[in-house]
Structures are given as C-alpha cells and as structure tokens.
C-alpha cells in the first residue's frame, strides 16, 4: 500500500473517532447518565455516509468502436470487426481463437462504467491512489468519434473488490467495483478462447472413432473404440488395448468423452517455440491423448504438473493443473494451463475404467458352454424358446439342468474379475481349465486359466494373456460346476 495513503487512513480514522466522541458529548452532556440507546442509535444514523454512485459512462456496447488497454501485463487494442457487429479483433492476438464473451464483456464494461462511490473531488495528489503507476490505462472510442480515457489505480486498502479510478482531465477519484475494470487489468492472453475442443450438443456428437492414451513410464497404449458387436449392451465403447474389456459406464465417461468440452484455466504462452515447449515439459510429456474419427483428429499433449502450494509457497504432493497443448483445432497455438481434474488420462489406469465383466454374452444367445480340464470335459447345451425369448431348457453331459440354477451359475461366470491386468504369457504346463462360450450366431468367447502362484491365476481372453485373478475364484467356479450337475446350491461369492 502507498505509504502516503496509509498515513491518510490512520489520521482519518483518528479524526473520525474523535469527532464522533465530541459530537456524542455535546449532544448528551458529559455527566448525563440517562442517555438512551435510542439516542446513540440516532447519532450513528446521522453520521453514516451514504455512497455517491455515479454513472461515469452512459453508452451501450453496440456503440463501442474500439478499446485500447495498457496495463502492467500487456498492451492491446480491441477493434470491432468489419465482418460483423458483434465480433471483435485484437491484432496482438492475430491468428488465435478469441473468446467472444470476454470481448463483449470488455466493451460492455467500458460503455457502462459506473462508480460505487466518490472518494475525492479535486484531488491534488493522485499518486496516493496509485495513479503514478496505474494498474491500467484504457481508452474507449465510440462510433460517433467520442473517446474517453481512464486510469485504474490501486485496490482499496479495505477490499480487493474495489479499485480507484479517475478520468483523464479530471481530478475526481472514484471507487469502482473490480468487476467493471477487471477486463482492463488482465493480460491480453485472457481474451484467448479457453475451450480447447467444443462440447457438441447431446444429439450432435460425431461418430466415436478411436481414443488413444500414451503415458510416460507405461509400455502400452490404452485404446477405446466403439463396440461394434451386437452384444454391445454393457457400454457404447470398449477397450481394445492393452486388453479387450467392457467399460464401467459411471467410471469411464470422463475418460472416453472428456476431450469434448475440455477447457483450460488460463493461457500461458502464445505461439510457443521449441524452447517454450521444453520449459513446460511438453517435449517429454506426462501423457499424450489422441481422439480421431471422421471429420476430426485431436491431439492433447500434457506436460509438467503444477503443484498446490502450502502456506510457505512450497510445492505439496497434490497436483493442481498441468501445462498442455492442443492440436487439430484452429487458432489454439498456445500452451494452456488445464486443471488436473479435467485430465483423467494422466492418472487413471485401465483397471479404473473397466467393468467387472471380463466377457459378456446374453445367456439367451448362448447355445453351448464347454468346460475343459486335463482330466475331464463338461458340455452344457442350451435351447432357446423364441416365443418366451428365454432359455427353454438346458443339459449338462446329457442331464437336464434347473434353468434358475443355470442362470445363477452363468452370472457367477461372467463376473470373472478384471481388477489386475497381466501380460506375461504363462507356462503352458500350468494349464488349469478352458471355458468356451459359443453363441448361436457363431460368436462367443474363450477363457483359459493357468496357475501362477498359490493365490493368483493367469487368464487368457480369446488367446491373449490379459488378466490375473484370485485363485479362489477358480476354486468356487469348479465347485459350481459340480453343484450345477448335482442340482445343489450355486455359490455366488468367493
């Protein structure tokens, strides 16, 4: 705070206190102990200063032709575009996509400038309000040729919500809300569009192509694509790398669709060169996310993190945001700062977004389940009832099965866990069991199980080593095979 201003405030407070006491004594008498609370209240009302609000500029944004801004951060001029009444151009940001809402707000505030109070009329020393080194100088020019220049000084000592302001050629100092002048003290980069990829309407999403995520220190890419199978009732998209898997809809939406509508918190660097990209970690990124389909091809590069600071300004473990660039969108050649909460691809793993279903086939579409072990093979055949649209009957090794028990058995099977990905091929001698699910339409899935340790079992899904599960699931499944054949209760947990 300006030292002169501090002195004025202190003296003003002392004078106000002394004046109030003298007025109280004069009205009540120094020895009059019968003064009522009502009299004291009346005195407070009499001495209360009412704000003098002034409409400093009384025009409309439609009349603004240009706004010149020079502040401590940057200098720029916003000029009404010849291409449209409601569009603007900022030459200093030529080639970049600009935020129309920010530009319109600047024009509106400059055209309707209003004070909250008058601080001083005929001020002899404007420097005590910070006008010797103003926070901003701006000139608004209207379409009739009128131009008015204003200076924004310091924040009021009592509140960051207000600034001092005066007009060129006038020594009247106003108190204005920061909302009126915040657009004048911001750096020009604040006017760059922060919506990196537009959010389509609910019914206007393009066809989903391929989302690919590459992360530093991870030796595989995560790939999501549309589920093109007729069985795609679990999720519209499925994971195709590093394993095939169905997505957990509630956990995967931000991962699968978060690129659309992705918005930055701020713009850090415009037209970055190689040195800038290296400085912000974008030459060796934490993650790269591509989303490509018919008519679009986006690439998000996620660089260095920005940590939350403690009270001493030191980095904490928590990450607040990351430096990012976006490709595939016109006018976005910048380094942006994006909140960490908007970037699930940096931290989420495949296990976080997969459903608990390793395989999924409607039981009504299944014609046969073959369970092969070294010592025996069990064959379950199912007959579908078209009229009832359900399983009509089933046999296991030629013996009729209870349909309710069969459905419980099948539910346990399809929830074979997916909580650990695993890619190291097992020893073929460690084979335990194979389960083949064959649909009427020729589709289906095959799961092969191999011993790993006493507690873990490796799973190949359709010939590809994909998961490792708890061995006790295998134990319970084998018990359920016996229980199904013998007509006993099917275990639903393990």
């Amino acid at each position: 705070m300006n030292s002169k201003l501090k002195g004025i405030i202190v003296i003003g407070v002392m004078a106000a206190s002394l004046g109030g006491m003298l007025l109280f004594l004069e009205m009540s008498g120094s020895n009059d102990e019968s003064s009522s609370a009502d009299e004291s209240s009346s005195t407070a009302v009499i001495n209360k200063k009412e704000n003098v609000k002034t409409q400093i500029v009384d025009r409309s944004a439609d009349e603004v032709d240009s706004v010149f801004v020079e502040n401590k951060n940057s200098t720029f001029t916003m000029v009404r575009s010849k291409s449209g009444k409601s569009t603007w151009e900022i030459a200093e940001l030529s080639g970049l996509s600009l935020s129309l809402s920010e530009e319109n707000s600047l024009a509106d505030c400059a055209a309707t400038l209003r004070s909250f109070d008058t601080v001083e009329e005929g001020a002899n020393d404007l420097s005590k309000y910070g006008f010797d080194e103003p926070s901003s100088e701006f000139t608004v020019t209207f379409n009739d040729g009128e131009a008015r220049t204003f200076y924004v000084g310091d924040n009021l000592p009592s509140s960051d919500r207000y600034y001092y302001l005066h007009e060129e050629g006038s020594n009247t100092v106003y108190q204005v809300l920061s909302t009126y002048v915040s657009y004048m003290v911001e750096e020009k980069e604040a006017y760059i569009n922060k919506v990196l990829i537009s959010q389509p309407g609910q019914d206007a999403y393009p066809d989903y192509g391929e989302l690919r995520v590459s992360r530093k220190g991870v030796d595989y890419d995560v790939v999501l694509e549309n589920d093109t199978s007729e069985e795609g009732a679990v999720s519209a998209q499925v994971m195709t790398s590093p394993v095939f898997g169905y997505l957990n809809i509630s956990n995967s939406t931000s991962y699968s669709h978060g690129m659309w509508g992705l918005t930055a918190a701020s713009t850090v660097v415009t037209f970055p060169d190689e040195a800038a990209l290296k400085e912000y970690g974008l030459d060796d990124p934490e993650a790269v996310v591509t989303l490509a389909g018919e008519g679009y091809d986006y690439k998000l590069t996620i660089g260095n993190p920005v940590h939350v600071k403690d009270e001493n300004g030191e980095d904490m473990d928590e990450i607040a945001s990351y430096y990012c660039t976006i490709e595939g969108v016109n006018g976005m050649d910048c380094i942006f700062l994006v909140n960490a909460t908007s970037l699930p691809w940096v931290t989420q793993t495949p296990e976080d977004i997969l459903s608990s279903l390793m395989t999924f086939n409607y039981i009504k579409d299944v014609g046969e389940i073959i369970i092969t072990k070294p010592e025996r093979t069990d064959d379950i055949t199912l007959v579908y009832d078209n009229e009832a649209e359900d399983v009509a009957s089933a046999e296991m090794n030629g013996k009729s099965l209870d349909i309710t028990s069969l459905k419980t058995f099948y539910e346990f099977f399809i929830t074979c866990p997916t909580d650990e990905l695993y890619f190291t091929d097992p020893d073929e001698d460690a084979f335990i069991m194979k389960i083949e699910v064959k649909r009427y339409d020729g589709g289906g899935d095959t799961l092969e199980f191999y011993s790993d340790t006493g507690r873990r079992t490796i799973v190949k899904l359709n010939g590809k080593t994909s998961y490792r599960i708890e061995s006790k699931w295998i134990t319970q499944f084998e018990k359920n095979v016996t229980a199904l054949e013998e007509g006993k209760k099917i275990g639903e947990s393990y």
Side-chain angles (χ1 to χ4, degrees):
M1 187 190 302
N2 189 297
S3 59
K4 294 180 183 178
L5 190 55
K6 289 182 179 178
I8 291 170
I9 293 169
V10 172
I11 293 170
V13 171
M14 292 175 62
S17 301
L18 181 58
M21 181 61 73
L22 291 173
L23 179 60
F24 177 79
L25 292 174
E26 182 179 338
M27 294 180 66
S28 62
S30 59
N31 295 318
D32 186 358
E33 296 181 0
S34 63
S35 298
S36 68
D38 288 342
E39 289 175 337
S40 298
S41 176
S42 297
T43 302
V45 172
I46 290 171
N47 286 300
K48 181 179 180 181
K49 176 184 176 296
E50 292 191 9
N51 297 329
V52 179
K53 295 179 171 61
T54 303
Q55 189 68 50
I56 303 170
V57 183
D58 193 9
R59 303 289 289 261
S60 73
D62 288 341
E63 298 175 89
V64 175
D65 188 63
S66 67
V67 182
F68 165 80
V69 177
E70 182 176 5
N71 57 41
K72 295 177 179 180
N73 298 309
S74 56
T75 300
F76 64 93
T77 302
M78 185 180 78
V79 180
R80 189 175 294 278
S81 173
K82 296 178 181 178
S83 62
K85 185 177 180 181
S86 298
T87 58
W88 305 89
E89 296 175 353
I90 298 177
E92 293 82 358
L93 299 174
S94 178
L96 298 176
S97 175
L98 304 183
S99 170
L100 183 59
S101 62
E102 295 282 332
E103 294 171 310
N104 284 339
S105 295
L106 171 59
D108 186 60
C109 289
T112 61
L113 194 58
R114 177 180 174 84
S115 76
F116 181 79
D117 199 2
T118 299
V119 178
E120 184 180 1
E121 294 183 356
N124 293 321
D125 183 9
L126 292 173
S127 65
K128 66 186 179 184
Y129 300 106
F131 293 118
D132 52 339
E133 295 183 9
S135 298
S136 175
E137 171 190 345
F138 67 95
T139 299
V140 53
T141 303
F142 298 96
N143 51 22
D144 61 3
E146 181 187 17
R148 298 178 67 174
T149 299
F150 297 89
Y151 297 90
V152 181
D154 292 337
N155 284 114
L156 263 69
S158 57
S159 175
D160 289 341
R161 295 179 61 234
Y162 300 98
Y163 278 92
Y164 295 113
L165 177 137
H166 87 92
E167 186 171 3
E168 185 176 70
S170 170
N171 279 23
T172 298
V173 178
Y174 297 104
Q175 174 184 347
V176 296
L177 279 166
S178 61
T179 50
Y180 271 106
V181 295
S182 62
Y183 296 96
M184 292 73 170
V185 299
E186 288 181 326
E187 56 191 5
K188 64 181 182 296
E189 286 76 13
Y191 293 90
I192 295 173
N193 183 15
K194 298 178 187 66
V195 180
L196 306 189
I197 301 174
S198 297
Q199 176 76 59
Q202 190 64 35
D203 299 323
Y205 271 92
D207 289 338
Y208 200 92
E210 177 190 276
L211 177 82
R212 180 176 294 270
V213 181
S214 303
R215 285 178 56 187
K216 182 189 291 186
V218 178
D219 59 3
Y220 58 80
D221 289 351
V222 176
V223 178
L224 306 185
E225 300 178 62
N226 268 340
D227 184 2
T228 57
S229 71
E230 295 182 1
E231 293 295 309
V234 179
S235 57
Q237 286 74 46
V238 292
M239 184 181 296
T240 57
S241 174
V243 299
F244 179 89
Y246 298 98
L247 302 182
N248 181 317
I249 296 175
S250 60
N251 291 351
S252 65
T253 301
S254 63
Y255 197 101
S256 61
H257 287 74
M259 286 279 276
W260 282 297
L262 184 63
T263 301
S266 63
T267 306
V268 181
V269 179
T270 59
F271 306 109
D273 56 17
E274 290 185 8
L277 295 174
K278 183 175 182 180
E279 178 183 355
Y280 292 98
L282 293 155
D283 62 329
D284 184 24
E286 293 293 319
V288 175
V289 186
T290 59
L291 177 62
E294 186 175 351
Y296 62 94
D297 189 355
Y298 306 125
K299 179 181 179 181
L300 174 71
T301 304
I302 304 171
N304 289 339
V306 177
H307 290 261
V308 175
K309 305 288 185 183
D310 62 17
E311 58 186 9
N312 298 317
E314 299 294 326
D315 284 350
M316 300 175 67
D317 291 337
E318 183 181 355
I319 295 174
S321 51
Y322 289 85
Y323 297 107
C324 300
T325 58
I326 187 73
E327 298 175 41
V329 185
N330 291 332
M332 306 300 281
D333 188 9
C334 302
I335 296 176
F336 296 96
L337 197 62
V338 181
N339 290 336
T341 53
S342 299
L343 302 170
W345 312 284
V346 183
T347 55
Q348 284 192 337
T349 66
E351 293 92 333
D352 294 329
I353 62 174
L354 284 171
S355 75
S356 59
L357 302 177
M358 187 180 298
T359 177
F360 182 80
N361 300 279
Y362 284 116
I363 191 170
K364 64 182 181 63
D365 297 327
V366 175
E368 186 177 19
I369 303 172
I370 303 174
I371 305 165
T372 304
K373 301 177 69 176
E375 67 276 12
R376 63 175 288 176
T377 297
D378 293 302
D379 191 352
I380 302 172
T381 56
L382 296 80
V383 177
Y384 178 66
D385 184 341
N386 287 311
E387 185 175 339
E389 295 185 346
D390 201 354
V391 178
S393 62
E395 293 183 351
M396 180 174 179
N397 303 327
K399 181 180 179 181
S400 295
L401 298 176
D402 177 74
I403 300 302
T404 300
S405 296
L406 173 64
K407 289 181 177 180
T408 303
F409 169 84
Y410 190 74
E411 286 176 6
F412 179 86
F413 161 67
I414 64 172
T415 57
C416 184
T418 60
D419 53 355
E420 183 188 355
L421 301 188
Y422 192 77
F423 309 121
T424 303
D425 288 334
D427 185 341
E428 292 297 323
D429 293 337
F431 174 77
I432 300 174
M433 176 175 57
K434 178 170 70 174
I435 304 172
E436 298 172 83
V437 178
K438 298 183 177 182
R439 296 199 308 262
Y440 289 116
D441 63 5
D445 292 296
T446 299
L447 279 68
E448 300 169 79
F449 301 87
Y450 298 83
S451 294
D452 182 41
T453 67
R455 295 185 177 183
R456 310 299 287 178
T457 297
I458 297 170
V459 184
K460 283 187 176 181
L461 175 60
N462 295 323
K464 182 179 179 180
T465 303
S466 302
Y467 298 97
R468 192 163 64 168
I469 66 172
E470 292 183 78
S471 297
K472 59 184 179 180
W473 185 91
I474 296 290
T475 301
Q476 184 58 56
F477 180 81
E478 291 176 324
K479 290 180 179 178
N480 284 350
V481 172
T482 302
L484 179 65
E485 185 176 26
E486 296 178 354
K488 297 180 180 179
K489 182 178 175 61
I490 304 298
E492 298 181 56
S493 59
Y494 60 95

